[in-house]
Amino acid sequence: MTERPVTPLAFAQLACETMMKKFDAENLPPVGHFHYHQGVFLCGLYQTYQLTGDERYFSFIQRWVDSLINAQGNITGFNPGQLDDLQPGVLLFPLYERTKDPRYKYALDTIAYFMEHFPRTPEGGFWHKAWYRNQMWLDGLYMAGPFMSQYGAEFDKPAFLDEVANQAAIMEKVTRDDKTGLWYHAWDYERLLPWADKETGRSPEFWGRALGWAPVAILEDLRFFPENHPQRRNMERMACDLLKALLPYQDQESGLWYQVVDKGDDPNNWLESSCTCLYTAAICRAVHMGLMDEKYLEAARKGFEGVTARLGYDDNGVMIGNICIGTGVGDYAHYLARPTSVNDLHGAGAFLLMCTEAAQVL
């Protein structure tokens, strides 16, 4: 039986070992698909690599990427019409930096092209998918922003940084609830979809994981924004305002947050792991960046301890449970009925993001 780790970094390492034991890099699900499920997990693996220097982690990332990029640098098994399939492009930056392999640069340029030409709402916001006409989802900030920010900074495309800031500002404008400060999961410009409010276009609920993608993405974006960028302070404000708006909804007994964030008093609602990981990661990073006071680490510590307290262990490693599977937009019953999984890739990725950020401040 695997022993329980002691430190945040040790939790991250155990999760990496567990997932690498379960999957060969080339067989990460969905197999043969360049997709954010693998992308967020491998981003967490990369952050663990940065703290440990364990080259096995870097090699694992490279093997997965190489399984989906051919000799010419073309990405196989992806649909450039959905932001979810562009997100793993962030993994190409460290590979290109280390190897200077032109295949990685070609793939980077390909993803940048599709982001630059992605369909937009009349206000200029990215559709979530090319066939989700005029819909914006919070998830999209994570799928597009970090790549565009890093590409803009590293390849002298300042317009990309402006675009990232613009996307975040539009998302806040169309999804933010003035009463709670929380952001609704999605927005339909045309007000036609069954879930869209006929006046505002907003979806009806504050879904946990979607609310985590937004601050995690914005804080990652800021790594590449110069101090004098005219929208930097607004980006900082957005991330911190959203995190502070989430704090009143943390369950004080468990330290966790709910699947539908603002309805913790409903016994049918349930405590969800991946959103708690993302909020905790973002609070830790915001404090580490000097954007939030250290007093907020109390909530992060509760979140970290809440997630790690209900982990399971077996001979294969750690079991991260209560992870909501991939989820579309819907009503309250839709979110409550979503199945959960153990060691789901984007849940494991969120766990790694939490542990590596906590390792630096908790």
Side-chain angles (χ1 to χ4, degrees):
M1 182 68 69
T2 302
E3 292 186 5
R4 185 183 191 276
V6 176
T7 66
L9 186 55
F11 274 106
Q13 289 173 292
L14 178 58
C16 291
E17 300 300 329
T18 302
M19 301 303 289
M20 291 167 64
K21 183 177 181 180
K22 183 177 181 180
F23 297 109
D24 290 330
E26 300 80 2
N27 292 326
L28 287 172
V31 177
H33 190 173
F34 196 80
H35 192 59
Y36 87 98
H37 285 196
Q38 302 102 320
V40 65
F41 166 65
L42 294 172
C43 284
L45 189 67
Y46 182 67
Q47 288 192 190
T48 311
Y49 162 73
Q50 289 179 300
L51 295 180
T52 64
D54 190 329
E55 288 294 332
R56 294 177 304 130
Y57 300 162
F58 193 96
S59 176
F60 191 90
I61 295 166
Q62 187 167 16
R63 290 203 310 276
W64 179 75
V65 170
D66 284 349
S67 74
L68 290 162
I69 294 185
N70 66 21
Q72 291 73 44
N74 293 306
I75 304 169
T76 61
F78 92 130
N79 183 341
Q82 59 177 347
L83 295 178
D84 290 351
D85 284 14
L86 302 180
Q87 184 274 335
V90 295
L91 301 167
L92 296 163
F93 292 107
L95 295 178
Y96 181 63
E97 180 182 12
R98 176 179 289 195
T99 67
K100 299 305 179 188
D101 186 330
R103 293 181 307 132
Y104 299 139
K105 180 60 164 60
Y106 188 89
L108 282 165
D109 291 344
T110 299
I111 291 172
Y113 172 85
F114 284 117
M115 286 194 176
E116 202 166 11
H117 295 88
F118 210 77
R120 288 165 168 78
T121 68
E123 290 94 336
F126 287 148
W127 297 8
H128 193 62
K129 299 182 182 182
W131 56 96
Y132 284 10
R133 178 182 172 85
N134 279 319
Q135 295 179 48
M136 295 183 72
W137 295 19
L138 297 188
D139 320 42
L141 292 181
Y142 181 79
M143 306 308 161
F147 178 91
M148 292 193 79
S149 298
Q150 189 164 0
Y151 191 92
E154 295 197 4
F155 300 112
D156 193 26
K157 294 272 286 189
F160 271 39
L161 297 175
D162 298 339
E163 183 69 87
V164 168
N166 187 47
Q167 293 299 323
I170 294 171
M171 190 71 77
E172 181 186 44
K173 177 184 176 183
V174 300
T175 67
R176 184 182 181 276
D177 174 57
D178 290 338
K179 182 178 178 181
T180 62
L182 300 175
W183 299 12
Y184 289 99
H185 184 186
W187 175 74
D188 172 21
Y189 170 81
E190 296 176 345
R191 280 77 163 161
L192 296 176
L193 291 163
W195 49 257
D197 183 279
K198 298 308 178 188
E199 291 187 9
T200 66
R202 294 168 177 168
S203 61
E205 302 296 341
F206 304 114
W207 176 45
R209 188 161 63 237
L211 275 161
W213 293 130
V216 166
I218 293 169
L219 293 169
E220 179 68 12
D221 297 338
L222 287 170
R223 290 181 53 215
F224 306 101
F225 271 64
E227 277 295 321
N228 64 352
H229 191 281
Q231 290 303 314
R232 182 181 177 94
R233 299 295 171 253
N234 194 42
M235 297 274 283
E236 295 173 351
R237 178 201 57 77
M238 275 190 274
C240 294
D241 282 357
L242 182 50
L243 290 172
K244 290 172 184 176
L246 286 162
L247 292 177
Y249 301 101
Q250 184 177 30
D251 179 61
Q252 292 306 302
E253 182 178 347
S254 68
L256 300 162
W257 276 267
Y258 283 87
Q259 164 78 343
V260 178
V261 170
D262 64 329
K263 293 184 169 64
D265 55 351
D266 180 356
N268 295 312
N269 202 356
W270 44 279
L271 296 163
E272 201 274 332
S273 296
S274 67
C275 72
T276 301
C277 290
L278 294 173
Y279 306 162
T280 301
I283 293 168
C284 288
R285 179 172 282 200
V287 173
H288 194 206
M289 293 172 67
L291 303 181
M292 290 175 66
D293 190 274
E294 289 188 2
K295 69 181 181 182
Y296 293 105
L297 290 180
E298 179 183 356
R301 187 171 288 104
K302 285 182 180 177
F304 176 81
E305 291 175 352
V307 171
T308 55
R310 64 176 185 171
L311 297 173
Y313 303 90
D314 61 14
D315 291 339
N316 295 314
V318 66
M319 294 178 287
I320 310 161
N322 300 101
I323 301 166
C324 177
I325 67 168
T327 296
V329 181
D331 60 12
Y332 184 51
H334 166 81
Y335 294 108
L336 292 195
R338 298 305 291 159
T340 61
S341 61
V342 175
N343 290 357
D344 172 281
L345 277 187
H346 46 15
F351 181 77
L352 291 174
L353 296 179
M354 175 185 72
C355 292
T356 51
E357 296 296 345
Q360 299 174 77
V361 293
L362 292 184

